[in-house]
Amino acid sequence: MKPFHPAQNIQDIQYFGEFGGVNPSIEDSSTYTFLKGDKMEEIFEKEIEGCYLYSRHWNPTNRYLSQALAKMEGTDSAVVTASGIAAITATLLQVCQAGDHIVSSRMIYGGTYAFLKNFAPKLGITTTFVDITKPEVVEAAITPKTKMVYCESMSNPMLEITDLRAMSAICKKHGILLVVDNTFTPLIISPAQLGADIVIHSLTKFINGSSDTVAGVICGAKPFIDSLSDVNHGAVMLLGPVMDSMRSASVLKNMRDLHMRMMYHSRNAHHIAQKLHEKGLKVIYPGLPSHPQHALYAGLINKEFGFGGMLVIDTGSKEKAYELMEAMQNANIGYLAVSLGFYKTLFSAPGSSTSSEIPEEERLAMGMGDGLVRMSIGLDPDPEVTFQRIMKCVDQVLSTAKA
Ligand SMILES: *Cc1c(COP(=O)(O)O)cnc(C)c1O
């Protein structure tokens, strides 16, 4: 297989603005004119390249951003949405109908878990949650009603890695789709190149990178992406999570330095994780050989972008987790906030925040204790300085626990 260069693919896009500008023009219109009545009739029936009808259906600015994201994942097509969860729910509802079944990783974003567990059953769609690190368990859960395996390439928040090649082989064997949320590892993992059929991102995180908006994308084969915006049957068209074109233009501009940001996030997180590990702390970072899936992960990634910007520290208890986070915010290491991919480090306790949708007993069964602190390491110029500051807080908060 020829090497895949996601960052080069983005860089190679050439857009011109309406008057030759180096930035594409922003199309600030909800509706579009037609010269002839019959042309309008035609576009209601099928997509016409370069022809726009109504902004919820498609607009040129969203098309630019979608194309850049399709280039990044190496899929034929993509469609952007107003949030990551809209990309997920639209995909699930486009593929599944009443009576259908989904096999999903049990370790997924809390909102996705809540949708599958509480909302989808109201529509007759059921889900079996499995340990995604055990391919034989995943395969055994597939029934004749199963339409897809759903997972995250790197899971939230335990940073488990899905063997996407193995998942793809299972899905192909059973004639079902592999749907992958790649939010934690843009550029680092290219799921479609490893056999995923549909790749989803919350653009809110690393891809936009400036914590100023919520957005999402669905990348996949053209017929599927076209079906999402079908005026009669499309989940994106009919549920209506359209991204505003002003915001879309802004996300596209932020994507230009995504490759440099990912390298920096990875460098910093790797350094800090390594040092914390050496100090004897319980740290989860898939770039460390101590991570149970380190070797698998190393075989999946586009190496130039490193092992990612996320790490988890286990402080042992919720109280210690809160104390550590408050100390780190006071020391200006970053912010006590959910989300990820910001230039400043963000930290939260997943058990009581982003994964609180998952019942406590299930969280504990997954090893997701209350003392976890999830950190999205920022673009700090010197990770050693950050490490020293974190260590000072750790010593202050955890000294009693360590003794
Ligand atoms: C944040 C997140 C989502 C949801 O995206 P929004 O943009 O907040 O709607 C989905 N999956 C993962 C892994 C996330 O981190």
Side-chain angles (χ1 to χ4, degrees), residues 16 48 72 84 107 123 134 169 187 210 215 255 272 338 370 379:
F16 292 101
I48 308 171
M72 180 180 87
M107 191 87 72
L123 307 171
K134 299 197 170 83
L187 299 177
S210 47
M255 265 185 80
I272 293 165
V338 298
D370 273 348
L379 300 173

Side-chain angles (χ1 to χ4, degrees), residues 200 203 327:
I200 296 172
L203 304 178

